[in-house]
Amino acid sequence: PLSMWIARRVGAVDRPKSRVAVVAAAAVACVLAWYWTHGIARTSSLGWDEAMHADLPALRMLLALKQGEVRAAFDAFLGCSQYPFVFPSFLAAVQAVFGVGEGVCRATGTVLWCATLFGLFLLGREISRGRSLAPWLTMAFGALSPMALAFAGTLFLEIPFACASVFAIRAWLRRSSQPGTSSEIAAGAWIAVCLFTKFNYGVLLAFGFALDWMCEGISSVRSGEGGALIRRSTALLLLPAAAILWWFVLPLPGGFDVGREHRAQLVAYLGGNREFGRVSYA
């Protein structure tokens, strides 16, 4: 039943070999990620970036909810203005189930890396249509990425964003292989998740999607399918546009002042990404 459910979710219906491959890939991804990252997550303590921008807002949200202070939880949620709210909220949910602790948080990062590897397998299947070793090679190359191994098992936002972006790219490609409103909404939802996982990476990824979308629009207009393009675009942009307007204009239950603060923080943060200091050749 589990293999059938996973296979149906990834579009491998009524193909026994395909279902086995999907479930095997999930197991292999978990084993690889846990094996390679074992020990990395056992450092002495959280770094400042991890503690201040991931675990602290997560704990503020969790403790406020446990005390019944919903508005305080929302204040902590809306306070994630420089490093957005997706990962802290996820950490809060995980710690609500498994208990508060640094080990729980680091294990969460490793689990997300497992999910990323499995997502790479699914992305390879989407590109190759499952007719080659591409899915397995894609997952293998991901498992051997030195930088990813260094970040897996930490609370930095690189791994959560890698996970979200892999599934976002897959959802984007499925708009062509499985056209329809649901696929457009799914792609838009993943784009929104990426944007609010890490702003600078999310903007870059969204810009790449925008270029591809523009090329799609040119092709649709030339083929006389402009109306269909407008319908697809409306479904695609629905969730990202709503999330952006809510966060940067009127982030309820906050007010316009909170939205103004979010915009200022974003401009300052992205500006800092464009500042480079000179160092000596040595």
Side-chain angles (χ1 to χ4, degrees):
L2 177 61
S3 65
M4 177 66 77
W5 182 83
I6 295 177
R8 287 185 182 278
R9 293 298 294 175
V10 300
V13 182
D14 298 330
R15 289 181 291 172
K17 291 183 179 180
S18 182
R19 292 199 297 269
V20 171
V22 169
V23 176
V28 171
C30 293
V31 171
L32 283 174
W34 213 273
Y35 174 77
W36 285 112
T37 61
H38 183 70
I40 296 177
R42 301 293 183 266
T43 54
S44 58
S45 64
L46 294 173
W48 183 86
D49 234 14
E50 298 174 271
M52 291 299 295
H53 297 304
D55 199 27
L56 180 59
L59 288 178
R60 288 180 62 200
M61 284 185 268
L62 177 59
L63 294 176
L65 289 175
K66 284 185 174 181
Q67 296 169 4
E69 300 176 0
V70 178
R71 184 53 196 263
F74 270 112
D75 289 340
F77 182 89
L78 295 175
C80 301
S81 54
Q82 183 172 345
Y83 294 89
F85 55 81
V86 168
F87 190 46
S89 301
F90 185 69
L91 282 179
V94 169
Q95 291 183 94
V97 176
F98 296 100
V100 174
E102 181 180 334
V104 173
C105 293
R106 291 190 179 279
T108 301
T110 302
V111 169
L112 285 176
W113 182 230
C114 297
T116 305
L117 293 180
F118 181 55
L120 286 171
F121 175 85
L122 298 180
L123 180 59
R125 279 169 58 92
E126 188 68 29
I127 295 171
S128 66
R129 297 291 186 264
R131 291 191 295 266
S132 67
L133 291 175
W136 297 99
L137 291 174
T138 306
M139 184 172 67
F141 281 123
L144 295 175
S145 168
M147 181 174 289
L149 293 176
F151 279 106
T154 72
L155 274 67
F156 291 108
L157 297 178
E158 276 66 22
I159 295 304
F161 183 83
C163 183
S165 64
V166 165
F167 285 97
I169 295 170
R170 178 173 176 266
W172 184 267
L173 295 177
R174 287 172 75 87
R175 295 167 53 250
S176 299
S177 61
Q178 298 182 8
T181 303
S182 60
S183 62
E184 298 288 345
I185 292 176
W190 277 113
I191 291 172
V193 170
C194 289
L195 284 171
F196 289 96
T197 297
K198 197 167 185 354
F199 284 132
N200 50 355
Y201 296 172
V203 168
L204 290 173
L205 183 65
F207 181 70
F209 286 147
L211 290 177
D212 190 51
W213 183 48
M214 183 174 63
C215 293
E216 288 180 11
I218 294 173
S219 300
S220 296
V221 171
R222 286 180 174 176
S223 62
E225 298 180 355
L229 173 67
I230 293 174
R231 290 192 299 271
R232 293 198 307 270
S233 302
T234 301
L236 174 66
L237 297 176
L238 178 63
L239 291 177
I244 290 171
L245 288 173
W246 165 70
W247 185 257
F248 292 108
V249 179
L250 184 59
L252 297 172
F256 289 105
D257 290 340
V258 179
R260 191 179 301 111
E261 180 183 344
H262 288 171
R263 294 194 299 272
Q265 287 278 0
L266 177 66
V267 171
Y269 177 62
L270 295 180
N273 277 254
R274 294 183 286 108
E275 293 175 0
F276 298 94
R278 293 185 177 275
V279 296
S280 68
Y281 178 79

